[in-house]
Amino acid sequence: MRFARFKRGLCLKTVDSCFQDLKDSRLVEETFTVDEVVDMLDGLQTVVHSEVESELINTTYTNVLLLRQLFSQAEKWYLKLQTEVSELENRELLEQVAEFEKSDFTSSNKKPSADLIKPKLAPLNEGGSELLNKTVARLQEENEKLKTRLKTIETQATAALDEKSKLQKSLKDLQVIQGDQKDFLKITNTNQDITELENKVAALKCHFEKTLNDATANQEFLEENLVTTKHDLLKVQDQLSTAQKELEKKFQQTAAYRNMKEILTKKNEQIKDLRKKLSKYEPED
């Protein structure tokens, strides 16, 4: 707004100078004919029209360059921007901007509208660092969640394997008991007892087989979930590593890093010079 205010002041000074030049160069007589007045006004109109048109064109091109910088930065960081052209003619917002300019460039005690009090934008050359920091933080948080999920799934898979082993052992024991009971029942020759025991053994066997199948299916699901989670974890770790490298590269491009590097280089050179000077005064062995 300071830049626009400065350009507007120059434009007004130029228009004023056009009128002043007309007064100094043409208004040297006391009386003028109608044709002379019309000629002077036409000439003044041409000059003022040219100056105002030139200033309007320059303002438009300046706004285009400013928007180009912002859009280039947004494209670099894959941001999606949306504009409302209708808001450019919103009289209420325009009045708020005028009030903000008035309060900012004068000694008025009026405060600008709350809608116009916004956080300042980061510099164009170093503004990506904040976005990278947020990306790294998000990836680290996602990485920790995936690690926790992986540990949980591994625990569940281990428990499912233990349960499956116990069920298999119980089924084998049941089969052994079934064989022993058949041998014993052959000796007793009691048909009713044989039928009853066989039904009980068959029911127990069916129950154990169903439980074993459920445990096997649960184990397969946990194993698939474990593989998927490991892949997601590796993907997030790779993204995190890339983001951290990009952040480090971005930091190395900042002015603070370059200044620090330049200071360290100068200090190293000074230390080398001091060592050379000191070696001249050290006694030789």
Side-chain angles (χ1 to χ4, degrees), residues 36-91:
E36 290 176 339
V37 173
V38 171
D39 181 61
M40 286 189 292
L41 291 178
D42 289 341
L44 180 61
Q45 179 185 7
T46 302
V47 174
V48 173
H49 181 275
S50 177
E51 291 293 339
V52 174
E53 181 183 21
S54 176
E55 184 60 30
L56 290 175
I57 292 175
N58 183 67
T59 301
T60 302
Y61 292 169
T62 302
N63 291 333
V64 170
L65 292 178
L66 177 61
L67 292 174
R68 182 173 179 268
Q69 292 182 21
L70 297 177
F71 292 158
S72 297
Q73 182 184 9
E75 183 179 8
K76 180 178 180 181
W77 298 110
Y78 304 99
L79 302 179
K80 295 181 179 179
L81 303 181
Q82 294 181 351
T83 57
E84 290 290 341
V85 180
S86 60
E87 294 295 328
L88 299 179
E89 297 181 355
N90 189 320
R91 177 53 55 184

Side-chain angles (χ1 to χ4, degrees), residues 82-124:
Q82 294 181 351
T83 57
E84 290 290 341
V85 180
S86 60
E87 294 295 328
L88 299 179
E89 297 181 355
N90 189 320
R91 177 53 55 184
E92 181 180 356
L93 294 179
L94 291 176
E95 291 177 355
Q96 291 178 5
V97 174
E99 183 66 22
F100 171 76
E101 182 185 22
K102 180 180 178 181
S103 62
D104 190 59
F105 291 100
T106 62
S107 58
S108 176
N109 294 326
K110 295 182 179 180
K111 296 182 179 180
S113 174
D115 295 336
L116 295 177
I117 303 177
K118 302 295 183 182
K120 293 184 178 180
L121 294 176
L124 286 176

Side-chain angles (χ1 to χ4, degrees), residues 224-278:
E224 292 178 358
N225 198 1
L226 181 62
V227 173
T228 304
T229 305
K230 285 183 177 180
H231 288 173
D232 293 341
L233 180 61
L234 292 175
K235 183 179 179 181
V236 170
Q237 288 176 344
D238 182 64
Q239 293 177 352
L240 179 60
S241 176
T242 303
Q244 288 175 340
K245 290 180 180 179
E246 184 67 23
L247 180 60
E248 182 179 356
K249 180 180 178 182
K250 192 69 180 178
F251 174 72
Q252 292 178 356
Q253 295 175 356
T254 60
Y257 177 82
R258 292 194 297 269
N259 293 336
M260 186 183 299
K261 187 175 181 181
E262 183 178 353
I263 292 173
L264 291 176
T265 303
K266 291 181 179 179
K267 291 295 183 181
N268 290 332
E269 292 178 356
Q270 292 177 359
I271 291 173
K272 290 181 181 179
D273 294 337
L274 290 175
R275 285 179 177 175
K276 290 181 180 179
K277 293 179 181 179
L278 185 62

